[in-house]
Amino acid sequence: MSKTSIYFKTKTNLIKELQKDERVFTLKRQSLLKKLPFFKKEYADIYFHSGNLDAEAILNIKNAKKTIVNSKQLRSEIIDKTNIPKENIEVIYPSINMIYKKPKEIKEKICKKFDIDSTPKIIFFTAKNLKTSGVKEFFDIILSLNSMNKQIIISSDKNQINSLKFLISKYNFGNEVLLLENYSNINELFLAADIFILPTYNKSFATNILKAMYCKCAVLTTISNYSSELLDIFATMENPTDSTTSYKVDALLSREEDLKYIQKENRKIAKKYELFKNLDKLNTIIDTI
């Protein structure tokens, strides 16, 4: 039985599952010596592209039978720069691999743990790099809100939160903002939240948007981020400083029925990208090679 070779730069949950398949083997990263012109280069049948579209990535794409990317915008960018046929590039959105629990129960648990009122809606913000993900712009949105029906939670690692404390001192939030550093179970915070806002400057697919949708959150993010492909016009921001965002958030905070409807619809969308469903899509692609 011939095997299908794969190559990637970033090992995702989907790739980890795929590597368990006996039909598949992973090409090893080429040593510096093997990159020399007189060595014959090996290319994978399936190349999972992530990161910069540099010369090495373009070679991998051109020589692969199929390239997997996590957004339509990234596929378009590759086609524009390489003239690779569209049918050679498949889009599989990031995979959701988490245990879903009832948000109401988790919210009550979190609020009790940190001694905060469970009545207001929780607006959540998290990222590995708070600055490039738009934390200042997030604060500006919060300051512009008219509704008092809100509790803000921000979570990141210790260094990020320590840096944030200096910035937050310029605002008069009082007890309205809860800062959490190195929180052990970030999924609980997504489940406890009602709204997730990410006014990011980054283009790469924000997997936190998909996770928030899966956890039944209303979400808002910038239209330049690849994750916006899964959202309608209401949930997208023209840019991180979009002045209409605060009006949208106020509307969600004041109209319970609308908020619940959006939350349910977001979960329906995100469930399409559960890990085992994405693995089925990938297996179908392998069968065609």
Side-chain angles (χ1 to χ4, degrees):
M1 180 181 69
S2 61
K3 291 192 174 185
T4 300
S5 59
I6 65 170
Y7 186 68
F8 53 86
K9 291 180 180 177
T10 304
K11 185 183 284 192
T12 62
N13 286 327
L14 181 62
I15 291 171
K16 288 176 186 176
E17 285 300 312
L18 183 63
Q19 287 180 314
K20 297 174 184 178
D21 192 327
E22 293 181 352
R23 300 175 301 163
V24 171
F25 74 95
T26 304
L27 285 185
K28 293 182 179 179
R29 194 175 297 276
Q30 292 185 356
S31 66
L32 191 60
L33 181 63
K34 286 193 174 182
K35 289 183 179 180
L36 295 173
F38 50 82
F39 273 97
K40 184 180 179 182
K41 294 180 174 63
E42 286 184 288
Y43 294 101
D45 297 315
I46 299 178
Y47 171 58
F48 293 83
H49 175 66
S50 60
N52 295 327
L53 190 58
D54 54 21
E56 182 185 353
I58 289 172
L59 278 174
N60 283 314
I61 292 166
K62 285 185 173 180
N63 288 280
K65 294 176 182 177
K66 289 286 185 181
T67 295
I68 310 296
V69 295
N70 65 10
S71 71
K72 293 176 183 177
Q73 292 178 68
L74 185 52
R75 178 175 63 186
S76 296
E77 182 184 335
I78 291 171
I79 291 169
D80 288 343
K81 290 185 178 180
T82 65
N83 292 320
I84 296 292
K86 185 177 180 179
E87 57 268 23
N88 285 15
I89 305 173
E90 301 283 350
V91 176
I92 298 181
Y93 289 115
S95 303
I96 291 290
N97 185 30
M98 63 177 290
I99 298 171
Y100 180 80
K101 297 179 181 179
K102 291 183 178 180
K104 186 178 179 180
E105 293 177 5
I106 301 299
K107 181 178 182 179
E108 289 175 355
K109 174 186 171 182
I110 294 291
C111 291
K112 184 178 181 180
K113 182 176 182 177
F114 295 105
D115 193 24
I116 56 177
D117 188 358
S118 62
T119 306
K121 302 301 180 187
I122 291 178
I123 300 176
F124 183 41
F125 179 90
T126 189
K128 289 182 180 178
N129 186 318
L130 297 180
K131 184 178 179 180
T132 60
S133 297
V135 70
K136 182 183 180 301
E137 292 72 16
F138 174 80
F139 282 152
D140 291 339
I141 293 165
I142 300 304
L143 278 177
S144 301
L145 297 177
N146 293 316
S147 176
M148 301 298 290
N149 180 30
K150 61 187 185 296
Q151 169 68 51
I152 316 303
I153 296 180
I154 300 174
S155 176
S156 193
D157 65 43
K158 185 176 182 178
N159 291 335
Q160 291 285 313
I161 294 297
N162 282 340
S163 299
L164 187 60
K165 286 175 181 176
F166 174 75
L167 175 63
I168 205 171
S169 65
K170 299 178 181 180
Y171 298 85
N172 185 26
F173 286 125
N175 296 324
E176 197 175 61
V177 177
L178 176 64
L179 301 180
L180 301 177
E181 60 182 49
N182 296 333
Y183 194 76
S184 59
N185 190 348
I186 194 74
N187 290 347
E188 282 190 345
L189 300 180
F190 280 105
L191 286 164
D194 297 284
I195 301 170
F196 181 71
I197 306 173
L198 192 70
T200 181
Y201 286 89
N202 301 318
K203 287 171 56 179
S204 300
F205 196 110
T207 53
N208 280 342
I209 287 291
L210 189 56
K211 184 179 285 190
M213 293 170 71
Y214 189 80
C215 292
K216 227 174 185 178
C217 288
V219 300
L220 293 103
T221 195
T222 41
I223 199 165
S224 59
N225 188 271
Y226 295 157
S227 65
S228 64
E229 292 177 12
L230 300 179
L231 308 177
D232 61 23
I233 191 67
F234 178 85
T236 56
M237 305 162 60
E238 284 297 320
N239 53 64
T241 59
D242 188 340
S243 60
T244 66
T245 306
S246 57
Y247 296 108
K248 293 177 180 179
V249 178
D250 266 328
L252 292 172
L253 293 173
S254 62
R255 297 205 287 265
E256 181 79 16
E257 287 185 10
D258 290 348
L259 176 60
K260 285 186 175 180
Y261 174 78
I262 290 170
Q263 290 171 332
K264 288 178 181 178
E265 289 301 304
N266 279 352
R267 177 154 165 78
K268 283 181 187 176
I269 293 168
K271 284 182 71 176
K272 296 176 184 177
Y273 310 109
E274 291 171 322
L275 180 59
F276 73 94
K277 293 177 182 176
N278 274 353
L279 190 60
D280 283 344
K281 294 174 191 173
L282 195 48
N283 282 326
T284 300
I285 291 168
I286 291 172
D287 289 340
T288 65
I289 290 177

